[in-house]
Every structure is written in C-alpha cells, then in structure tokens.
Amino acid sequence: MIPKRIAVVGPVASGKSTIAAEIAGHTGLPHLDLDSLFWGAGWTPVDPMIFQNRARDVLCAESWIADGNYGGPVGEMLLGHAELAIWLDLPLRTCLPRLLKRSFRRAARGEELFAGNQETFRHLVARDSILLWGPAHHRQHRRRWRHHLGPDKPHGLPVLHLTTSTTVAPTLRDMRLLPAATRAVAPCRTL
C-alpha cells in the first residue's frame, strides 16, 4: 500500500523536488514544495509564523508528497504528519555537480521559481549564493536528518534511507512509488 503522506528530505541538490514530482506523477499524490511556502518576492523569506501557518495548513491535508530541507517547527510538522520519510542522504560529490548544473541552467533560461524569483548569473556570484550556501551547509543538513531519521530517531516514522543516486529509482520502483522500468527488447535477427 502506498503511503498517503510522504516527506522527501535531504541536502541541497540531492534530488528532493525531482523525486517528489515523479512520485506525485505516478501515484497522484498532491506535490508540495515547501520552498514555495517559504520564499516571498525578491528572495525574501516570509515571516516565520506565516511560513509555519502555511505549512500547517497544507500538511494537515489527507494526502501529499512534500519536499524540503527545513528544520525547526516546520521540519517537526513535516515528520510528525508523514507516514513515510524518503531521506536522500547523498554525498557532496554527488550534490555539488547537480547544484552547479541546475543553477546555471536556471540562470541561462531565466526559469521562474518561487514567488516569481529567478536565479540569475549575478545572484549566483553573490555572497549569499546557493552555490556557496549549499556546500557550506551540506554536513549540517546531513547531521540534522541523521538525528531525526537515523537509528535512534525520535519519530516512529518509517524511513527509506538512500545513500547513492544509483539506488534511488530502483528502490522507489520496488516500493511501487515509481512506475516499473521498461526494458527495450532488441528485435530477433533471422539468419
């Protein structure tokens, strides 16, 4: 049986939003990106109480798949309401190239993100750039999730702990959270 409320967590550029969207597309669960609740215009975070209220309102729903990398009250709500946590605990050597590729693609294409915000090349070289922030906080995020989702976790939540990118899709397929892989069959050759 597919859980009705799934939390997808992990460090920056671990694939949270991509996996959550793919699972949502396959299962029909509503997809919730917590960043869309956190960011206001001009890359300004909304007031913490507004963020918490927004998160509470959507996490009280009957079904969802939510992705985000938030601690504090919102992280507690996320884990407290979830039926399953998918922890993408990927190393920096995997996440950093993804972060670079994603950020430069978004800047080059002018992709709109949350609240009309865009990553620009100017933004990518700023002091508060995601290219600096993500790697600088990678270990901190892994420690936080290890505390909340590791063997001595305070929540009784089932956790799918994935540590390599090559195991993510096959594991999620085995759990029927993603569609089965289709294999191309080579046509028979007749002699």
Side-chain angles (χ1 to χ4, degrees):
M1 184 167 125
I2 294 174
K4 291 183 179 180
R5 294 182 304 278
I6 303 172
V8 182
V9 300
V12 173
S14 58
K16 298 179 299 293
S17 296
T18 300
I19 288 298
E22 289 177 5
I23 292 172
H26 176 67
T27 63
L29 291 171
H31 178 207
L32 167 64
D33 189 328
L34 294 177
D35 282 341
S36 67
L37 305 177
F38 178 79
W39 290 109
W43 290 108
T44 304
V46 298
D47 178 82
M49 288 309 299
I50 292 173
F51 179 44
Q52 289 175 36
N53 290 336
R54 288 176 176 178
R56 183 196 63 238
D57 290 347
V58 296
L59 294 174
C60 286
E62 185 177 316
S63 62
W64 43 259
I65 180 159
D67 65 89
N69 196 22
Y70 294 93
V74 171
E76 289 295 324
M77 276 189 274
L78 176 67
L79 298 180
H81 286 83
E83 295 176 352
L84 171 69
I86 299 173
W87 177 18
L88 301 175
D89 187 18
L90 304 182
L92 182 59
R93 70 179 177 274
T94 300
C95 297
L96 184 57
R98 290 178 175 187
L99 177 61
L100 292 168
K101 182 179 177 182
R102 175 185 83 182
S103 295
F104 283 106
R105 183 197 73 234
R106 287 176 174 174
R109 294 180 182 172
E111 291 180 28
E112 187 174 309
L113 299 171
F114 322 103
N117 295 311
Q118 296 177 316
E119 287 185 45
T120 64
F121 289 110
R122 184 177 198 177
H123 183 251
L124 296 180
V125 297
R127 291 178 67 185
D128 61 349
S129 170
I130 189 72
L131 298 180
L132 299 173
W133 191 89
H137 291 84
H138 189 85
R139 278 192 198 156
Q140 173 187 342
H141 294 163
R142 291 181 85 190
R143 278 194 306 267
R144 177 182 352 118
W145 295 121
R146 188 176 304 115
H147 169 75
H148 288 288
L149 301 174
D152 300 323
K153 61 187 177 264
H155 299 280
L157 181 64
V159 177
L160 185 58
H161 184 199
L162 302 169
T163 59
T164 62
S165 58
T166 57
T167 61
V168 173
T171 303
L172 296 175
R173 282 188 197 106
D174 288 348
M175 294 184 69
R176 297 188 180 115
L177 294 173
L178 291 178
T182 57
R183 290 189 174 152
V185 178
C188 296
R189 289 186 353 180
T190 56
L191 299 174

